[in-house]
Amino acid sequence: MEQNPILEQLEEYSNNLEKEIAVLQEKRCISYKPLLESLKKQYAFAHFLMYEESVFDTMPQGYKTLLSKALSDVLIIHSTVTIGCVTQSYNIVRSLFETYANLMYINKNFEANMKYYEDHTIFAQYHKLEEHKNDPDYKYDPYFIQFKNRTEGPL
């Protein structure tokens, strides 16, 4: 098969670009090494409590969902900063703060606020959708269709 000179140039260019990006990423995240280690330890500790020690098993599903989301956010922040995308991690920090704010609000009056959260948020709608997704009567409900389109998108 005949070699294509443009593809050969692209291959070389791509390899060089990968090396340059790796150097840039390393330079960008050096100052964040202590933070990254702390995030990794916090993630491991929370993961251990949730999945190995089952500390939160008796908590309501909504609370566990928020904790799981926070745990995922910490891992995503660690990953984005590790690859040098510090600015991009700010959006996830915001998400983590929102989860924290939700948990602090819920803890002020746990029973009432947890019920409100589970009954009137996207969380409740999602679980209702999952629970009834195979119910033929529910499938054609306009509210169900609207919510399904919102959660699954147009594709």
Side-chain angles (χ1 to χ4, degrees), residues 12-55:
E12 182 181 344
Y13 180 83
S14 178
N15 290 337
N16 289 336
L17 187 59
E18 269 185 49
K19 291 174 188 170
E20 289 176 26
I21 289 172
V23 169
L24 179 62
Q25 287 173 337
E26 183 62 28
K27 284 181 184 176
R28 287 179 113 187
C29 75
I30 282 177
S31 62
Y32 296 100
K33 293 283 186 195
L35 170 69
L36 292 171
E37 283 302 311
S38 175
L39 281 175
K40 193 169 29 174
K41 287 178 182 173
Q42 290 173 21
Y43 174 81
F45 177 66
H47 194 278
F48 175 77
L49 290 177
M50 285 184 81
Y51 299 108
E52 295 297 320
E53 293 297 311
S54 306
V55 170

mmCIF file of all heavy atoms in Angstrom, residues 12-55:
data_model
loop_
_atom_site.group_PDB
_atom_site.id
_atom_site.type_symbol
_atom_site.label_atom_id
_atom_site.label_comp_id
_atom_site.label_asym_id
_atom_site.label_seq_id
_atom_site.Cartn_x
_atom_site.Cartn_y
_atom_site.Cartn_z
ATOM 1 N N GLU A 12 3.452 12.405 12.812
ATOM 2 C CA GLU A 12 4.580 13.043 13.483
ATOM 3 C C GLU A 12 4.114 14.254 14.289
ATOM 4 O O GLU A 12 4.509 14.450 15.441
ATOM 5 C CB GLU A 12 5.638 13.473 12.454
ATOM 6 C CG GLU A 12 6.861 14.100 13.085
ATOM 7 C CD GLU A 12 7.890 14.531 12.029
ATOM 8 O OE1 GLU A 12 7.810 14.087 10.875
ATOM 9 O OE2 GLU A 12 8.770 15.317 12.411
ATOM 10 N N TYR A 13 3.252 15.072 13.679
ATOM 11 C CA TYR A 13 2.728 16.256 14.347
ATOM 12 C C TYR A 13 1.956 15.861 15.611
ATOM 13 O O TYR A 13 2.128 16.455 16.672
ATOM 14 C CB TYR A 13 1.811 17.030 13.394
ATOM 15 C CG TYR A 13 1.227 18.279 13.994
ATOM 16 C CD1 TYR A 13 1.957 19.465 14.019
ATOM 17 C CD2 TYR A 13 -0.040 18.261 14.559
ATOM 18 C CE1 TYR A 13 1.419 20.607 14.580
ATOM 19 C CE2 TYR A 13 -0.579 19.402 15.122
ATOM 20 C CZ TYR A 13 0.145 20.569 15.134
ATOM 21 O OH TYR A 13 -0.377 21.707 15.689
ATOM 22 N N SER A 14 1.130 14.846 15.490
ATOM 23 C CA SER A 14 0.320 14.374 16.609
ATOM 24 C C SER A 14 1.201 13.874 17.752
ATOM 25 O O SER A 14 0.959 14.179 18.927
ATOM 26 C CB SER A 14 -0.616 13.267 16.130
ATOM 27 O OG SER A 14 -1.361 12.761 17.194
ATOM 28 N N ASN A 15 2.230 13.117 17.439
ATOM 29 C CA ASN A 15 3.147 12.614 18.469
ATOM 30 C C ASN A 15 3.855 13.756 19.185
ATOM 31 O O ASN A 15 4.000 13.736 20.413
ATOM 32 C CB ASN A 15 4.163 11.655 17.859
ATOM 33 C CG ASN A 15 3.530 10.349 17.438
ATOM 34 O OD1 ASN A 15 2.484 9.958 17.935
ATOM 35 N ND2 ASN A 15 4.164 9.675 16.481
ATOM 36 N N ASN A 16 4.320 14.746 18.428
ATOM 37 C CA ASN A 16 4.990 15.902 19.033
ATOM 38 C C ASN A 16 4.026 16.701 19.915
ATOM 39 O O ASN A 16 4.398 17.168 20.988
ATOM 40 C CB ASN A 16 5.600 16.801 17.956
ATOM 41 C CG ASN A 16 6.806 16.164 17.288
ATOM 42 O OD1 ASN A 16 7.460 15.294 17.869
ATOM 43 N ND2 ASN A 16 7.081 16.547 16.067
ATOM 44 N N LEU A 17 2.818 16.864 19.427
ATOM 45 C CA LEU A 17 1.820 17.608 20.187
ATOM 46 C C LEU A 17 1.507 16.903 21.506
ATOM 47 O O LEU A 17 1.393 17.542 22.553
ATOM 48 C CB LEU A 17 0.544 17.775 19.360
ATOM 49 C CG LEU A 17 -0.547 18.658 19.933
ATOM 50 C CD1 LEU A 17 -0.035 20.082 20.166
ATOM 51 C CD2 LEU A 17 -1.756 18.670 19.009
ATOM 52 N N GLU A 18 1.392 15.599 21.482
ATOM 53 C CA GLU A 18 1.154 14.832 22.712
ATOM 54 C C GLU A 18 2.263 15.066 23.730
ATOM 55 O O GLU A 18 2.003 15.227 24.922
ATOM 56 C CB GLU A 18 1.079 13.338 22.393
ATOM 57 C CG GLU A 18 -0.295 12.840 22.088
ATOM 58 C CD GLU A 18 -0.320 11.337 21.891
ATOM 59 O OE1 GLU A 18 0.240 10.598 22.741
ATOM 60 O OE2 GLU A 18 -0.896 10.903 20.888
ATOM 61 N N LYS A 19 3.504 15.065 23.259
ATOM 62 C CA LYS A 19 4.647 15.293 24.161
ATOM 63 C C LYS A 19 4.596 16.697 24.746
ATOM 64 O O LYS A 19 4.844 16.886 25.945
ATOM 65 C CB LYS A 19 5.961 15.073 23.420
ATOM 66 C CG LYS A 19 6.213 13.632 23.058
ATOM 67 C CD LYS A 19 7.450 13.487 22.195
ATOM 68 C CE LYS A 19 7.569 12.056 21.674
ATOM 69 N NZ LYS A 19 8.608 11.914 20.664
ATOM 70 N N GLU A 20 4.278 17.689 23.925
ATOM 71 C CA GLU A 20 4.199 19.077 24.403
ATOM 72 C C GLU A 20 3.080 19.228 25.430
ATOM 73 O O GLU A 20 3.251 19.917 26.445
ATOM 74 C CB GLU A 20 3.960 20.028 23.230
ATOM 75 C CG GLU A 20 5.158 20.191 22.321
ATOM 76 C CD GLU A 20 4.848 21.070 21.110
ATOM 77 O OE1 GLU A 20 3.942 21.919 21.198
ATOM 78 O OE2 GLU A 20 5.523 20.894 20.085
ATOM 79 N N ILE A 21 1.954 18.607 25.173
ATOM 80 C CA ILE A 21 0.828 18.686 26.100
ATOM 81 C C ILE A 21 1.190 18.024 27.431
ATOM 82 O O ILE A 21 0.878 18.553 28.498
ATOM 83 C CB ILE A 21 -0.440 18.051 25.487
ATOM 84 C CG1 ILE A 21 -0.975 18.938 24.360
ATOM 85 C CG2 ILE A 21 -1.508 17.816 26.543
ATOM 86 C CD1 ILE A 21 -2.103 18.324 23.554
ATOM 87 N N ALA A 22 1.865 16.889 27.378
ATOM 88 C CA ALA A 22 2.265 16.196 28.607
ATOM 89 C C ALA A 22 3.185 17.074 29.453
ATOM 90 O O ALA A 22 3.031 17.152 30.681
ATOM 91 C CB ALA A 22 2.937 14.870 28.264
ATOM 92 N N VAL A 23 4.138 17.756 28.817
ATOM 93 C CA VAL A 23 5.057 18.655 29.543
ATOM 94 C C VAL A 23 4.276 19.808 30.160
ATOM 95 O O VAL A 23 4.476 20.167 31.327
ATOM 96 C CB VAL A 23 6.172 19.169 28.591
ATOM 97 C CG1 VAL A 23 6.959 20.301 29.226
ATOM 98 C CG2 VAL A 23 7.092 18.026 28.195
ATOM 99 N N LEU A 24 3.370 20.397 29.381
ATOM 100 C CA LEU A 24 2.565 21.511 29.869
ATOM 101 C C LEU A 24 1.690 21.080 31.047
ATOM 102 O O LEU A 24 1.602 21.780 32.060
ATOM 103 C CB LEU A 24 1.687 22.062 28.737
ATOM 104 C CG LEU A 24 0.769 23.218 29.092
ATOM 105 C CD1 LEU A 24 1.578 24.430 29.548
ATOM 106 C CD2 LEU A 24 -0.100 23.584 27.894
ATOM 107 N N GLN A 25 1.079 19.923 30.947
ATOM 108 C CA GLN A 25 0.236 19.425 32.029
ATOM 109 C C GLN A 25 1.051 19.202 33.297
ATOM 110 O O GLN A 25 0.602 19.531 34.395
ATOM 111 C CB GLN A 25 -0.462 18.129 31.616
ATOM 112 C CG GLN A 25 -1.569 18.343 30.612
ATOM 113 C CD GLN A 25 -2.130 17.035 30.090
ATOM 114 O OE1 GLN A 25 -1.467 16.000 30.135
ATOM 115 N NE2 GLN A 25 -3.342 17.084 29.586
ATOM 116 N N GLU A 26 2.227 18.638 33.150
ATOM 117 C CA GLU A 26 3.078 18.401 34.310
ATOM 118 C C GLU A 26 3.450 19.720 34.983
ATOM 119 O O GLU A 26 3.389 19.844 36.208
ATOM 120 C CB GLU A 26 4.337 17.632 33.898
ATOM 121 C CG GLU A 26 5.248 17.282 35.048
ATOM 122 C CD GLU A 26 4.606 16.367 36.083
ATOM 123 O OE1 GLU A 26 3.713 15.578 35.746
ATOM 124 O OE2 GLU A 26 5.017 16.458 37.256
ATOM 125 N N LYS A 27 3.811 20.729 34.186
ATOM 126 C CA LYS A 27 4.169 22.041 34.743
ATOM 127 C C LYS A 27 2.981 22.667 35.463
ATOM 128 O O LYS A 27 3.145 23.285 36.508
ATOM 129 C CB LYS A 27 4.638 22.983 33.633
ATOM 130 C CG LYS A 27 6.024 22.707 33.129
ATOM 131 C CD LYS A 27 6.399 23.702 32.045
ATOM 132 C CE LYS A 27 7.740 23.391 31.442
ATOM 133 N NZ LYS A 27 8.066 24.292 30.320
ATOM 134 N N ARG A 28 1.787 22.536 34.888
ATOM 135 C CA ARG A 28 0.603 23.167 35.456
ATOM 136 C C ARG A 28 0.187 22.537 36.781
ATOM 137 O O ARG A 28 -0.350 23.216 37.644
ATOM 138 C CB ARG A 28 -0.569 23.085 34.481
ATOM 139 C CG ARG A 28 -0.427 24.008 33.319
ATOM 140 C CD ARG A 28 -1.603 23.854 32.401
ATOM 141 N NE ARG A 28 -2.377 25.078 32.441
ATOM 142 C CZ ARG A 28 -3.535 25.225 31.857
ATOM 143 N NH1 ARG A 28 -4.081 24.214 31.227
ATOM 144 N NH2 ARG A 28 -4.171 26.361 31.910
ATOM 145 N N CYS A 29 0.374 21.260 36.940
ATOM 146 C CA CYS A 29 -0.162 20.628 38.150
ATOM 147 C C CYS A 29 0.877 20.442 39.248
ATOM 148 O O CYS A 29 0.521 20.020 40.345
ATOM 149 C CB CYS A 29 -0.860 19.317 37.818
ATOM 150 S SG CYS A 29 0.199 17.944 37.442
ATOM 151 N N ILE A 30 2.144 20.807 39.024
ATOM 152 C CA ILE A 30 3.168 20.651 40.065
ATOM 153 C C ILE A 30 2.789 21.402 41.335
ATOM 154 O O ILE A 30 2.896 20.867 42.439
ATOM 155 C CB ILE A 30 4.561 21.107 39.551
ATOM 156 C CG1 ILE A 30 5.132 20.014 38.663
ATOM 157 C CG2 ILE A 30 5.505 21.436 40.685
ATOM 158 C CD1 ILE A 30 6.463 20.350 38.037
ATOM 159 N N SER A 31 2.292 22.640 41.191
ATOM 160 C CA SER A 31 1.961 23.430 42.379
ATOM 161 C C SER A 31 0.724 22.896 43.101
ATOM 162 O O SER A 31 0.446 23.297 44.229
ATOM 163 C CB SER A 31 1.756 24.899 42.003
ATOM 164 O OG SER A 31 0.679 25.019 41.101
ATOM 165 N N TYR A 32 0.002 22.005 42.471
ATOM 166 C CA TYR A 32 -1.210 21.451 43.078
ATOM 167 C C TYR A 32 -0.998 20.067 43.680
ATOM 168 O O TYR A 32 -1.953 19.422 44.108
ATOM 169 C CB TYR A 32 -2.332 21.389 42.037
ATOM 170 C CG TYR A 32 -2.744 22.744 41.535
ATOM 171 C CD1 TYR A 32 -2.273 23.218 40.321
ATOM 172 C CD2 TYR A 32 -3.586 23.554 42.286
ATOM 173 C CE1 TYR A 32 -2.646 24.469 39.859
ATOM 174 C CE2 TYR A 32 -3.967 24.803 41.833
ATOM 175 C CZ TYR A 32 -3.491 25.256 40.617
ATOM 176 O OH TYR A 32 -3.859 26.496 40.168
ATOM 177 N N LYS A 33 0.238 19.587 43.713
ATOM 178 C CA LYS A 33 0.508 18.238 44.224
ATOM 179 C C LYS A 33 -0.040 18.002 45.637
ATOM 180 O O LYS A 33 -0.694 16.987 45.872
ATOM 181 C CB LYS A 33 2.008 17.921 44.183
ATOM 182 C CG LYS A 33 2.581 17.799 42.798
ATOM 183 C CD LYS A 33 2.229 16.491 42.160
ATOM 184 C CE LYS A 33 2.956 16.391 40.827
ATOM 185 N NZ LYS A 33 2.468 15.368 39.975
ATOM 186 N N PRO A 34 0.174 18.919 46.599
ATOM 187 C CA PRO A 34 -0.384 18.673 47.941
ATOM 188 C C PRO A 34 -1.919 18.588 47.926
ATOM 189 O O PRO A 34 -2.506 17.738 48.584
ATOM 190 C CB PRO A 34 0.093 19.869 48.766
ATOM 191 C CG PRO A 34 1.274 20.396 48.030
ATOM 192 C CD PRO A 34 1.021 20.112 46.575
ATOM 193 N N LEU A 35 -2.556 19.463 47.150
ATOM 194 C CA LEU A 35 -4.014 19.436 47.027
ATOM 195 C C LEU A 35 -4.475 18.119 46.412
ATOM 196 O O LEU A 35 -5.438 17.506 46.885
ATOM 197 C CB LEU A 35 -4.500 20.607 46.169
ATOM 198 C CG LEU A 35 -5.974 20.567 45.758
ATOM 199 C CD1 LEU A 35 -6.872 20.772 46.965
ATOM 200 C CD2 LEU A 35 -6.259 21.595 44.685
ATOM 201 N N LEU A 36 -3.770 17.673 45.400
ATOM 202 C CA LEU A 36 -4.137 16.428 44.728
ATOM 203 C C LEU A 36 -4.018 15.234 45.669
ATOM 204 O O LEU A 36 -4.883 14.350 45.680
ATOM 205 C CB LEU A 36 -3.282 16.217 43.482
ATOM 206 C CG LEU A 36 -3.540 17.200 42.334
ATOM 207 C CD1 LEU A 36 -2.498 17.032 41.243
ATOM 208 C CD2 LEU A 36 -4.930 17.011 41.770
ATOM 209 N N GLU A 37 -2.960 15.211 46.459
ATOM 210 C CA GLU A 37 -2.800 14.126 47.438
ATOM 211 C C GLU A 37 -3.916 14.153 48.476
ATOM 212 O O GLU A 37 -4.466 13.120 48.842
ATOM 213 C CB GLU A 37 -1.430 14.214 48.129
ATOM 214 C CG GLU A 37 -0.295 13.712 47.283
ATOM 215 C CD GLU A 37 -0.496 12.264 46.842
ATOM 216 O OE1 GLU A 37 -0.804 11.398 47.690
ATOM 217 O OE2 GLU A 37 -0.355 11.997 45.639
ATOM 218 N N SER A 38 -4.264 15.359 48.926
ATOM 219 C CA SER A 38 -5.341 15.501 49.898
ATOM 220 C C SER A 38 -6.674 15.046 49.306
ATOM 221 O O SER A 38 -7.433 14.325 49.962
ATOM 222 C CB SER A 38 -5.437 16.955 50.349
ATOM 223 O OG SER A 38 -6.538 17.129 51.203
ATOM 224 N N LEU A 39 -6.962 15.452 48.082
ATOM 225 C CA LEU A 39 -8.203 15.035 47.426
ATOM 226 C C LEU A 39 -8.272 13.516 47.289
ATOM 227 O O LEU A 39 -9.317 12.905 47.517
ATOM 228 C CB LEU A 39 -8.331 15.684 46.050
ATOM 229 C CG LEU A 39 -8.809 17.122 46.010
ATOM 230 C CD1 LEU A 39 -8.753 17.658 44.579
ATOM 231 C CD2 LEU A 39 -10.207 17.264 46.569
ATOM 232 N N LYS A 40 -7.144 12.923 46.911
ATOM 233 C CA LYS A 40 -7.109 11.469 46.743
ATOM 234 C C LYS A 40 -7.386 10.761 48.074
ATOM 235 O O LYS A 40 -8.141 9.800 48.129
ATOM 236 C CB LYS A 40 -5.754 11.054 46.169
ATOM 237 C CG LYS A 40 -5.727 9.638 45.681
ATOM 238 C CD LYS A 40 -4.520 9.230 44.865
ATOM 239 C CE LYS A 40 -3.254 9.928 45.128
ATOM 240 N NZ LYS A 40 -2.098 9.401 44.414
ATOM 241 N N LYS A 41 -6.804 11.271 49.157
ATOM 242 C CA LYS A 41 -7.024 10.661 50.466
ATOM 243 C C LYS A 41 -8.461 10.856 50.944
ATOM 244 O O LYS A 41 -9.067 9.948 51.501
ATOM 245 C CB LYS A 41 -6.037 11.230 51.479
ATOM 246 C CG LYS A 41 -4.631 10.716 51.261
ATOM 247 C CD LYS A 41 -3.649 11.313 52.224
ATOM 248 C CE LYS A 41 -2.256 10.784 51.901
ATOM 249 N NZ LYS A 41 -1.227 11.435 52.673
ATOM 250 N N GLN A 42 -9.014 12.050 50.703
ATOM 251 C CA GLN A 42 -10.394 12.309 51.086
ATOM 252 C C GLN A 42 -11.350 11.421 50.296
ATOM 253 O O GLN A 42 -12.317 10.885 50.849
ATOM 254 C CB GLN A 42 -10.748 13.780 50.884
ATOM 255 C CG GLN A 42 -10.051 14.690 51.860
ATOM 256 C CD GLN A 42 -10.272 16.154 51.544
ATOM 257 O OE1 GLN A 42 -11.211 16.510 50.860
ATOM 258 N NE2 GLN A 42 -9.401 16.998 52.051
ATOM 259 N N TYR A 43 -11.071 11.268 49.012
ATOM 260 C CA TYR A 43 -11.895 10.397 48.176
ATOM 261 C C TYR A 43 -11.836 8.963 48.687
ATOM 262 O O TYR A 43 -12.867 8.307 48.845
ATOM 263 C CB TYR A 43 -11.429 10.464 46.722
ATOM 264 C CG TYR A 43 -12.144 9.474 45.829
ATOM 265 C CD1 TYR A 43 -13.405 9.763 45.326
ATOM 266 C CD2 TYR A 43 -11.577 8.245 45.514
ATOM 267 C CE1 TYR A 43 -14.083 8.856 44.524
ATOM 268 C CE2 TYR A 43 -12.243 7.333 44.717
ATOM 269 C CZ TYR A 43 -13.494 7.647 44.220
ATOM 270 O OH TYR A 43 -14.157 6.747 43.444
ATOM 271 N N ALA A 44 -10.630 8.491 48.973
ATOM 272 C CA ALA A 44 -10.465 7.117 49.450
ATOM 273 C C ALA A 44 -11.186 6.915 50.785
ATOM 274 O O ALA A 44 -11.858 5.897 50.983
ATOM 275 C CB ALA A 44 -8.980 6.778 49.590
ATOM 276 N N PHE A 45 -11.077 7.894 51.677
ATOM 277 C CA PHE A 45 -11.731 7.796 52.987
ATOM 278 C C PHE A 45 -13.252 7.739 52.831
ATOM 279 O O PHE A 45 -13.923 6.871 53.399
ATOM 280 C CB PHE A 45 -11.321 8.971 53.874
ATOM 281 C CG PHE A 45 -11.996 8.981 55.211
ATOM 282 C CD1 PHE A 45 -11.739 7.983 56.140
ATOM 283 C CD2 PHE A 45 -12.892 9.989 55.542
ATOM 284 C CE1 PHE A 45 -12.363 7.989 57.388
ATOM 285 C CE2 PHE A 45 -13.511 9.995 56.773
ATOM 286 C CZ PHE A 45 -13.255 8.999 57.695
ATOM 287 N N ALA A 46 -13.808 8.666 52.040
ATOM 288 C CA ALA A 46 -15.264 8.701 51.842
ATOM 289 C C ALA A 46 -15.747 7.435 51.129
ATOM 290 O O ALA A 46 -16.784 6.870 51.487
ATOM 291 C CB ALA A 46 -15.651 9.939 51.041
ATOM 292 N N HIS A 47 -14.992 6.981 50.156
ATOM 293 C CA HIS A 47 -15.348 5.762 49.430
ATOM 294 C C HIS A 47 -15.342 4.564 50.387
ATOM 295 O O HIS A 47 -16.250 3.728 50.355
ATOM 296 C CB HIS A 47 -14.365 5.547 48.278
ATOM 297 C CG HIS A 47 -14.820 4.538 47.281
ATOM 298 N ND1 HIS A 47 -14.654 3.188 47.470
ATOM 299 C CD2 HIS A 47 -15.449 4.689 46.091
ATOM 300 C CE1 HIS A 47 -15.150 2.548 46.432
ATOM 301 N NE2 HIS A 47 -15.647 3.430 45.591
ATOM 302 N N PHE A 48 -14.337 4.505 51.221
ATOM 303 C CA PHE A 48 -14.236 3.438 52.223
ATOM 304 C C PHE A 48 -15.457 3.435 53.139
ATOM 305 O O PHE A 48 -16.069 2.392 53.377
ATOM 306 C CB PHE A 48 -12.950 3.618 53.033
ATOM 307 C CG PHE A 48 -12.802 2.657 54.172
ATOM 308 C CD1 PHE A 48 -12.425 1.338 53.944
ATOM 309 C CD2 PHE A 48 -13.030 3.070 55.470
ATOM 310 C CE1 PHE A 48 -12.289 0.446 54.994
ATOM 311 C CE2 PHE A 48 -12.902 2.189 56.531
ATOM 312 C CZ PHE A 48 -12.524 0.867 56.288
ATOM 313 N N LEU A 49 -15.822 4.623 53.632
ATOM 314 C CA LEU A 49 -16.984 4.715 54.524
ATOM 315 C C LEU A 49 -18.269 4.290 53.825
ATOM 316 O O LEU A 49 -19.102 3.588 54.396
ATOM 317 C CB LEU A 49 -17.147 6.140 55.057
ATOM 318 C CG LEU A 49 -16.110 6.622 56.057
ATOM 319 C CD1 LEU A 49 -16.379 8.067 56.436
ATOM 320 C CD2 LEU A 49 -16.089 5.739 57.299
ATOM 321 N N MET A 50 -18.424 4.723 52.569
ATOM 322 C CA MET A 50 -19.669 4.446 51.851
ATOM 323 C C MET A 50 -19.789 2.995 51.419
ATOM 324 O O MET A 50 -20.842 2.391 51.545
ATOM 325 C CB MET A 50 -19.804 5.352 50.622
ATOM 326 C CG MET A 50 -20.183 6.771 50.966
ATOM 327 S SD MET A 50 -20.445 7.778 49.508
ATOM 328 C CE MET A 50 -22.119 7.276 49.104
ATOM 329 N N TYR A 51 -18.712 2.451 50.874
ATOM 330 C CA TYR A 51 -18.826 1.159 50.208
ATOM 331 C C TYR A 51 -18.235 -0.022 50.976
ATOM 332 O O TYR A 51 -18.654 -1.152 50.770
ATOM 333 C CB TYR A 51 -18.215 1.239 48.811
ATOM 334 C CG TYR A 51 -18.939 2.246 47.958
ATOM 335 C CD1 TYR A 51 -18.357 3.448 47.635
ATOM 336 C CD2 TYR A 51 -20.229 1.995 47.510
ATOM 337 C CE1 TYR A 51 -19.035 4.383 46.856
ATOM 338 C CE2 TYR A 51 -20.919 2.909 46.742
ATOM 339 C CZ TYR A 51 -20.312 4.110 46.414
ATOM 340 O OH TYR A 51 -20.991 5.039 45.664
ATOM 341 N N GLU A 52 -17.298 0.228 51.844
ATOM 342 C CA GLU A 52 -16.697 -0.875 52.601
ATOM 343 C C GLU A 52 -17.310 -1.004 53.998
ATOM 344 O O GLU A 52 -17.574 -2.095 54.461
ATOM 345 C CB GLU A 52 -15.179 -0.699 52.712
ATOM 346 C CG GLU A 52 -14.444 -0.785 51.392
ATOM 347 C CD GLU A 52 -14.581 -2.148 50.727
ATOM 348 O OE1 GLU A 52 -14.523 -3.175 51.430
ATOM 349 O OE2 GLU A 52 -14.758 -2.179 49.502
ATOM 350 N N GLU A 53 -17.507 0.131 54.641
ATOM 351 C CA GLU A 53 -18.041 0.121 55.998
ATOM 352 C C GLU A 53 -19.557 0.283 56.034
ATOM 353 O O GLU A 53 -20.163 0.136 57.089
ATOM 354 C CB GLU A 53 -17.380 1.219 56.841
ATOM 355 C CG GLU A 53 -15.909 0.967 57.103
ATOM 356 C CD GLU A 53 -15.692 -0.306 57.919
ATOM 357 O OE1 GLU A 53 -16.357 -0.478 58.958
ATOM 358 O OE2 GLU A 53 -14.861 -1.125 57.500
ATOM 359 N N SER A 54 -20.150 0.633 54.914
ATOM 360 C CA SER A 54 -21.615 0.792 54.795
ATOM 361 C C SER A 54 -22.175 1.760 55.838
ATOM 362 O O SER A 54 -23.270 1.548 56.366
ATOM 363 C CB SER A 54 -22.294 -0.562 54.898
ATOM 364 O OG SER A 54 -21.756 -1.460 53.961
ATOM 365 N N VAL A 55 -21.434 2.809 56.123
ATOM 366 C CA VAL A 55 -21.831 3.786 57.138
ATOM 367 C C VAL A 55 -23.158 4.455 56.790
ATOM 368 O O VAL A 55 -23.953 4.761 57.663
ATOM 369 C CB VAL A 55 -20.724 4.849 57.321
ATOM 370 C CG1 VAL A 55 -21.184 6.012 58.168
ATOM 371 C CG2 VAL A 55 -19.489 4.207 57.920
#
